[in-house]
Amino acid sequence: MSVSPEINQEELALFRDMVLRALEQEVAPHYEEWEQAGIVPRQLWNTLGEAGMLCVDLPEEYGAAGTSYHVVQMIIEELSRLGYGGLASGYNIHANIVAPYIYHIGNDEQKQRWLPSLIKGDDITCFGVTEPNAGLDTTSIETRAVRQPDGNYVIDGRKIWTTTAQEATKFMILARTTPKDQCKKSTDGISLFYTDFDRSKIEATVIPKMGRKAVESNAVFIDGLHVPKEDLIGEEGKGFYYILHSLNPERILIASEAIGIGQSALRRAVQYAKDREVFGRPIGMNQSIQHPLAKNWAELEAAWMIAMKAADLYDRGEPCGAEANAAKYLGAEAGFEACTQAVLTHGGMGYAKEYTVERLMREVMIPRIAPVSMQMILSHIAEKKLGLPKSY
């Protein structure tokens, strides 16, 4: 992929080489086994931490690399491009969502207490936001955090689609501290916590799912979880506004993930088109095979460039909502089209696990669904960039 000349090319190349070496040594020999087992080994997070691959854009004072967001984007793309979409999901939660919340919103004591162990991989974290009865309407979450006379909290509730909860030692939780009907605005009264994953009070049940089995998703039940007041991040009642901080970078990384999966599928389809002979000639000589694959390449490149633009704006601290949403939309569509075409290029063998493209097609569905629907993205762009009336 080509990149903007404003990006530090030397830094990006250095990190890319480091990432590729680590993935070749530590992930490539085992990933299909992890997919079958349904879990990534606990030790991998320490290995990634030792390799300097976790939370790379956080400051060096906490043990991170202090690099740009483009490096984060590159790591996600490479994980996905090499066919490790499930691992990319877990990496995103750990390194690119939870840790930045702590850095941007937490106080100095919390940063010193929590960030080094995340960066080293000593702690594995998960994030409880989505709930069965709330979906995309985060203001309607029902999980409650009740403040006790001593200032500490007790949390009860349910979360769903919580990634890496089977191995987690830490839990970031979004919970209501004030009932919705007692708030002036529905977005008020929600708070953010980061605390120990106490398995005597938390039950995590794996959700059987279509793809990305290596990194599990869970239904989580919280019953009487005691949370010290020191584990509240930011101000009580401001949690909804805090999570808005992550929306744009999350969309950029989901876009990079979808594009990477699409690149993986395209690479495999091109190789198959070169190798597979029918009627005495490789099928890649046929324009009916060439043209769709060439179109996939063009669409993936275009999506990557808008993702790079969004990442550049985010790095500069400039508004990037429309660009991040456009990157997520275009990346998900381009990745999906590339995976679909890869299966079709393989013909009947595209349905066989041997050639991997069927797994990629299942994995690329997530960027189309999460963390926000394609229709919501189009509504956002229509309102913010085209000046059309809000539709929801």
Side-chain angles (χ1 to χ4, degrees):
M1 283 287 180
S2 54
V3 295
S4 163
E6 297 180 1
I7 299 168
N8 186 325
Q9 301 280 4
E10 184 177 346
E11 176 189 65
L12 198 62
L14 177 67
F15 272 92
R16 189 184 298 275
D17 288 344
M18 176 194 75
V19 167
L20 290 175
R21 283 197 306 272
L23 295 179
E24 182 180 4
Q25 294 171 9
E26 306 295 341
V27 177
H30 311 293
Y31 192 76
E32 289 299 336
E33 176 186 333
W34 297 342
E35 274 286 317
Q36 294 299 318
I39 199 162
V40 167
R42 169 71 180 81
Q43 178 58 34
L44 180 66
W45 299 103
N46 287 116
T47 302
L48 296 178
E50 291 168 5
M53 284 180 58
L54 298 179
C55 314
V56 295
D57 59 330
L58 295 187
E60 295 179 6
E61 65 183 285
Y62 302 108
T67 187
S68 74
Y69 201 69
H70 289 289
V71 175
V72 179
Q73 187 184 23
M74 177 274 295
I75 293 174
I76 291 297
E77 183 206 8
E78 290 296 343
L79 281 167
S80 302
R81 186 180 66 82
L82 294 171
Y84 312 141
L87 182 57
S89 299
Y91 179 93
N92 245 344
I93 297 294
H94 181 101
N96 305 323
I97 296 178
V98 170
Y101 274 129
I102 295 169
Y103 175 68
H104 289 290
I105 303 165
N107 57 42
D108 289 340
E109 184 276 331
Q110 290 172 331
K111 294 175 190 178
Q112 293 292 342
R113 178 156 52 106
W114 293 327
L115 287 178
S117 62
L118 281 174
I119 293 165
K120 292 177 185 176
D122 291 340
D123 275 324
I124 299 176
T125 187
C126 60
F127 194 6
V129 179
T130 307
E131 297 186 4
N133 296 330
L136 288 174
D137 184 7
T138 305
T139 64
S140 295
I141 62 171
E142 299 170 345
T143 296
R144 284 295 315 276
V146 179
R147 186 162 41 170
Q148 307 300 299
D150 60 3
N152 297 319
Y153 296 84
V154 174
I155 297 182
D156 296 279
R158 296 184 297 166
K159 298 293 180 181
I160 198 168
W161 298 114
T162 304
T163 301
T164 64
Q166 292 297 312
E167 295 290 317
T169 57
K170 291 287 187 178
F171 196 12
M172 183 166 277
I173 315 171
L174 198 67
R176 274 212 165 270
T177 40
T178 304
K180 186 176 180 179
D181 59 8
Q182 296 178 22
C183 297
K184 290 183 179 179
K185 295 189 293 184
S186 62
T187 50
D188 293 340
I190 298 173
S191 299
L192 190 63
F193 300 87
Y194 184 73
T195 194
D196 291 337
F197 199 100
D198 181 356
R199 295 186 184 272
S200 70
K201 305 294 183 181
I202 306 170
E203 179 184 352
T205 303
V206 174
I207 301 172
K209 56 185 180 180
M210 179 177 174
R212 300 174 185 236
K213 190 179 177 184
V215 175
E216 87 288 344
S217 300
N218 298 268
V220 175
F221 302 87
I222 309 163
D223 184 10
L225 178 65
H226 290 261
V227 178
K229 57 182 179 292
E230 292 81 10
D231 291 355
L232 170 71
I233 300 179
E235 295 182 47
E236 183 180 295
K238 301 295 184 182
F240 181 85
Y241 305 99
Y242 296 146
I243 67 168
L244 295 179
H245 175 83
S246 77
L247 297 184
N248 290 332
E250 184 181 26
R251 281 153 174 68
I252 294 168
L253 294 182
I254 287 288
S256 302
E257 185 179 322
I259 293 164
I261 294 172
Q263 290 174 328
S264 180
L266 177 60
R267 184 182 72 250
R268 296 167 194 273
V270 168
Q271 190 60 54
Y272 189 83
K274 292 176 180 178
D275 296 340
R276 173 65 169 160
E277 292 191 4
V278 177
F279 303 122
R281 53 187 272 164
I283 63 173
M285 288 184 68
N286 301 319
Q287 291 182 349
S288 59
I289 298 294
Q290 291 182 352
H291 289 182
L293 297 178
K295 181 171 179 281
N296 291 150
W297 180 88
E299 291 171 343
L300 289 166
E301 284 286 320
W304 180 247
M305 293 309 295
I306 188 66
M308 293 294 287
K309 178 182 179 182
D312 188 58
L313 291 170
Y314 178 76
D315 250 351
R316 297 168 183 269
E318 297 179 16
C320 62
E323 290 79 6
N325 276 283
K328 193 269 188 190
Y329 180 89
L330 294 174
E333 289 293 277
F336 176 76
E337 291 298 329
C339 290
T340 302
Q341 191 58 45
V343 172
L344 295 175
T345 300
H346 282 73
M349 297 312 295
Y351 209 65
K353 290 185 179 295
E354 175 186 356
Y355 287 88
T356 308
V357 291
E358 60 82 29
R359 172 164 68 78
L360 298 177
M361 187 173 183
R362 288 184 283 113
E363 290 184 352
V364 84
M365 290 301 297
I366 284 292
R368 302 188 89 207
I369 299 168
V372 62
S373 70
M374 312 297 270
Q375 292 76 20
M376 291 287 282
I377 283 179
L378 293 176
S379 292
H380 173 89
I381 292 172
E383 178 190 352
K384 301 300 182 182
K385 299 304 287 187
L386 305 183
L388 296 173
K390 186 172 182 177
S391 61
Y392 60 93

